[in-house]
Amino acid sequence: MTPVILLVEDEPAIADTLAWALRSEGFEPCHVATGGEALARLAQGGIAVAVLDVGLPDLSGFELCRRIRAQDAALPVMFLTARSEEIDRVLGFEIGADDYVAKPFSPREVVARLRVMLRRSGALAAPAQAVPGLQLDEAGARILHAGHPLPLTRYEYLLLRHLLKQPGRVFSRDQLLDAVWGAGSESTDRTVDTHIKTLRAKLRAVAPELDPILTHRGMGYSLALA
């Protein structure tokens, strides 16, 4: 199920930028501009994370967070605000926020932080077996085929793990570079292609029929659905 991110932001330009970044990373943004609209949407259920601007037109993000916490102690909450002073960050955490990002911000950083929050909450739990014969063991930092660990390098493991977490989704080379090597890495598209090639070779070495990585010309790579 696609995680729904409630984005409470009254500046359309910021909301549009974040919504685009969220959609491009496989999330479903739900944008509202006021605290009242946010509470009404939360009452319907199905929200994985709430991203709150502090300066809302009807009530502050801090007050909105208090009301959310009075009803739901477990929902992950991120503040997105121009207030970067330490006292504001401390207040945000004290009333129940899980993260606090100051403006101006990188949309990629926000999405990366949301992904961490979702993993902690269990909303991005990896499928036990997304591809027949392959199993992800995150606790042991390994991927198994028919119960036996595959001989993967660090980046081969991280790359295959990323694909296994969302089978069927097409990732561009840039998205894979950011997710596996990091946004500041000097690696190139060729790095991704090379690791995909070695991964395919190792998978076929243990089972000639095992070729789950699909190439989408001009787009990127995906893992075949079970």
Side-chain angles (χ1 to χ4, degrees), residues 7-219:
L7 179 57
V8 191
E9 171 61 64
D10 64 331
E11 295 186 36
I14 293 177
D16 289 347
T17 299
L18 273 176
W20 180 88
L22 289 166
R23 288 192 194 95
S24 69
E25 292 296 323
F27 299 113
E28 181 183 336
C30 175
H31 172 230
V32 297
T34 68
E37 291 175 302
L39 291 171
R41 177 60 186 86
L42 286 165
Q44 298 174 24
I47 299 298
V49 178
V51 180
L52 316 179
D53 182 22
V54 170
L56 297 171
D58 55 345
L59 70 161
S60 75
F62 292 143
E63 176 59 27
L64 176 56
C65 184
R66 289 191 184 96
R67 297 190 188 185
I68 291 173
R69 283 289 170 257
Q71 301 175 24
D72 189 339
L75 179 70
V77 173
M78 172 191 287
F79 278 124
L80 195 65
T81 175
R83 301 184 185 182
S84 58
E85 290 81 5
E86 180 181 11
I87 188 170
D88 290 313
R89 294 198 304 272
V90 171
L91 175 60
F93 288 123
E94 284 183 345
I95 63 177
D98 298 277
D99 203 352
Y100 192 109
V101 179
K103 301 175 183 177
F105 57 83
S106 161
R108 284 185 176 181
E109 179 186 357
V110 172
V111 172
R113 288 172 178 254
L114 286 171
R115 209 175 276 284
V116 170
M117 294 168 68
L118 286 164
R119 289 195 189 104
R120 288 174 179 167
S121 70
L124 277 186
Q129 193 164 333
V131 176
L134 289 183
Q135 185 174 5
L136 174 61
D137 174 17
E138 287 201 89
R142 59 184 185 165
I143 296 171
L144 300 91
H145 173 261
H148 300 286
L150 293 169
L152 304 177
T153 66
R154 175 191 175 195
Y155 288 114
E156 288 169 351
Y157 163 74
L158 292 173
L159 181 56
L160 186 54
R161 182 189 70 171
H162 194 70
L163 293 170
L164 273 168
K165 281 176 173 280
Q166 297 187 64
R169 181 187 165 187
V170 178
F171 290 95
S172 70
R173 290 172 176 81
D174 284 343
Q175 289 172 331
L176 292 172
L177 278 171
D178 286 353
V180 176
W181 284 269
S185 171
E186 296 182 0
S187 298
T188 66
D189 288 359
R190 182 60 180 164
T191 302
V192 176
D193 294 339
T194 299
H195 280 75
I196 290 289
K197 182 178 179 180
T198 59
L199 267 176
R200 283 175 167 152
K202 289 184 176 182
L203 291 172
R204 290 172 183 152
V206 298
E209 75 285 357
L210 190 60
D211 189 16
I213 302 175
L214 305 179
T215 299
H216 302 265
R217 193 171 299 277
M219 298 174 64

